[in-house]
Amino acid sequence: MDVLNFTNLESQVLSSFNEGKKTFEQLIEAVSLSEKTLNTILEGLISKNILKLDSKTKQYSYQTKVDGEIIILDGNLLLPTTIIRMKDKMLITRGEWYEFPLDFDIRRIIWNVKLETKTNSTLVDLIKSSVLKEKKSKIVQLPEYINLVNKIVPYSSKIGLLIHCVSETVTDVSILFKIKLSTNSDISIEHKGFTVRSEISTPELITQLKLPVAQRNYGEISLNKIYNFSDFIFSKNEIPVSLNSNELIYIKITGIKKSFELSYYKMDLIGNNQKFDVENFDDSNEAIEKLREIFNGFPSILLSESNFMSEMTE
């Protein structure tokens, strides 16, 4: 099984490109990104051998001819595009799952991800519309694996996979980033509240579970390790701020209606959690910048230690 990923912003740019936006000026008007961010995304797509730029006409085009007509699929603007190539078919998701033959050209896709708003959507708008909603899986749970739901797969010493739903081909999971608190006792306390939603292959998961415990290697399960900053911003996520020998400090988004509210918590060596401060922002953009500043610190270090990457795009 091969897994290919495009970030949510790469997906947005390619979708707009398929709608006929071929120049930089047309794209920047369509996707509402800063010039710096759009330049970075386009350069990345060129380096991936997806797009090329005609220096004379200043128009972008695919590096090879697209095989087939454009199709429109429903997707979530906050999510990356994940393509899973299996032995006999291809699965594509951006919140909804689609099945195609292996020779399907993924460059044919236009994502129908417009929000109900009269203005262009910014990251603040997107977070406001989704931050208090949990992502709900569209896949169908297999009865024979219902006992796996809410179980944690020990992917590695630093990562756990919390199972939400097991279907025939893919399993909906939350990736838990474990943070161990220092302790001199025999009891090891871990924080598991820093998460991101993802999908894994059900056959790969079941293959490992059928092995004797001593022979299981969950690290062989393919895992998407590239996400966007916005993938981590939802109401129940506990974003770590700092860790010392005595406690872990983390924040949660606890309100967005009257003002954008960030609550600060601390977790001690015996696992007690206590809320100790609240920060309110009348300007949502200031709150997002605060979250972005925090995320560039300790959370980014945690992700990099497990070879994960979060793109800090606008």
Side-chain angles (χ1 to χ4, degrees):
M1 184 185 80
D2 295 323
V3 180
L4 175 66
N5 294 285
F6 292 97
T7 69
N8 62 329
L9 294 186
E10 286 177 333
S11 302
Q12 186 180 352
V13 169
L14 288 174
S15 185
S16 294
F17 177 81
N18 285 346
E19 291 176 346
K21 312 298 191 298
K22 305 297 183 183
T23 67
F24 184 88
E25 290 73 19
Q26 291 172 334
L27 285 169
I28 199 166
E29 183 177 351
V31 298
S32 300
L33 300 173
S34 69
E35 291 187 8
K36 181 180 178 181
T37 298
L38 181 57
N39 263 320
T40 300
I41 294 169
L42 290 170
E43 289 172 1
L45 291 171
I46 291 173
S47 68
K48 291 180 180 180
N49 298 318
I50 302 294
L51 295 180
K52 61 181 179 180
L53 176 64
D54 188 315
S55 58
K56 293 183 179 180
T57 64
K58 302 299 181 182
Q59 289 193 346
Y60 291 90
S61 63
Y62 285 117
Q63 295 204 9
T64 57
K65 184 178 179 180
V66 177
D67 184 13
E69 300 296 323
I70 292 295
I71 66 168
I72 299 176
L73 303 179
D74 290 330
N76 185 328
L77 190 57
L78 285 174
L79 298 178
T81 300
T82 300
I83 300 102
I84 302 176
R85 289 190 174 93
M86 309 183 79
K87 291 183 179 180
D88 57 346
K89 57 188 171 184
M90 182 189 303
L91 299 174
I92 299 177
T93 183
R94 200 177 176 195
E96 301 275 352
W97 283 98
Y98 297 92
E99 181 178 321
F100 295 98
L102 284 172
D103 60 355
F104 176 77
D105 193 333
I106 60 175
R107 299 172 299 173
R108 296 167 54 188
I109 299 173
I110 290 178
W111 289 106
N112 179 32
V113 291
K114 293 180 181 178
L115 299 177
E116 296 180 358
T117 175
K118 295 181 180 179
T119 58
N120 291 328
S121 297
T122 64
L123 178 58
V124 173
D125 298 323
L126 298 175
I127 292 176
K128 277 188 172 181
S129 66
S130 66
V131 71
L132 296 180
K133 299 178 183 177
E134 288 186 294
K135 176 185 167 188
K136 295 183 179 178
S137 173
K138 298 293 183 180
I139 62 179
V140 179
Q141 172 67 46
L142 294 176
E144 59 267 38
Y145 297 128
I146 190 68
N147 62 310
L148 295 179
V149 175
N150 294 326
K151 297 294 193 300
I152 297 178
V153 174
Y155 185 83
S156 70
S157 61
K158 297 181 178 180
I159 291 174
L161 304 178
L162 175 62
I163 297 174
H164 297 294
C165 185
V166 184
S167 75
E168 182 179 357
T169 54
V170 295
T171 295
D172 181 19
V173 300
S174 284
I175 301 174
L176 315 180
F177 297 91
K178 304 176 186 178
I179 305 174
K180 290 187 177 181
L181 278 72
S182 301
T183 176
N184 295 324
S185 66
D186 295 330
I187 302 176
S188 178
I189 300 298
E190 290 183 334
H191 176 269
K192 300 176 183 177
F194 181 44
T195 72
V196 67
R197 203 69 172 255
S198 191
E199 302 88 15
I200 61 174
S201 163
T202 296
E204 289 185 0
L205 171 65
I206 301 304
T207 295
Q208 293 300 321
L209 292 176
K210 287 182 177 179
L211 293 173
V213 175
Q215 296 180 23
R216 294 175 187 173
N217 181 9
Y218 295 111
E220 293 185 359
I221 298 175
S222 300
L223 203 60
N224 176 26
K225 294 190 174 183
I226 302 177
Y227 295 90
N228 190 273
F229 163 67
S230 59
D231 296 329
F232 293 86
I233 308 304
F234 54 92
S235 60
K236 291 186 178 181
N237 210 10
E238 299 176 356
I239 302 172
V241 177
S242 63
L243 174 67
N244 58 40
S245 59
N246 296 316
E247 62 185 13
L248 169 73
I249 304 297
Y250 63 89
I251 61 170
K252 291 199 295 185
I253 300 172
T254 50
I256 61 168
K257 292 184 178 180
K258 294 182 179 179
S259 65
F260 208 114
E261 181 181 274
L262 299 179
S263 294
Y264 288 74
Y265 296 80
K266 55 186 176 182
M267 180 178 181
D268 62 24
L269 297 179
I270 58 174
N272 292 323
N273 293 273
Q274 180 182 355
K275 181 177 177 178
F276 68 91
D277 196 10
V278 176
E279 194 170 4
N280 288 286
F281 298 84
D282 293 327
D283 185 346
S284 297
N285 288 287
E286 291 183 6
I288 300 305
E289 287 307 310
K290 178 70 174 184
L291 287 167
R292 195 188 302 275
E293 177 186 338
I294 291 172
F295 214 90
N296 270 320
F298 190 37
S300 293
I301 295 173
L302 285 174
L303 294 176
S304 64
E305 287 178 348
S306 296
N307 297 318
F308 278 72
M309 182 177 72
S310 175
E311 299 182 330
M312 302 303 294
T313 48
E314 296 182 10

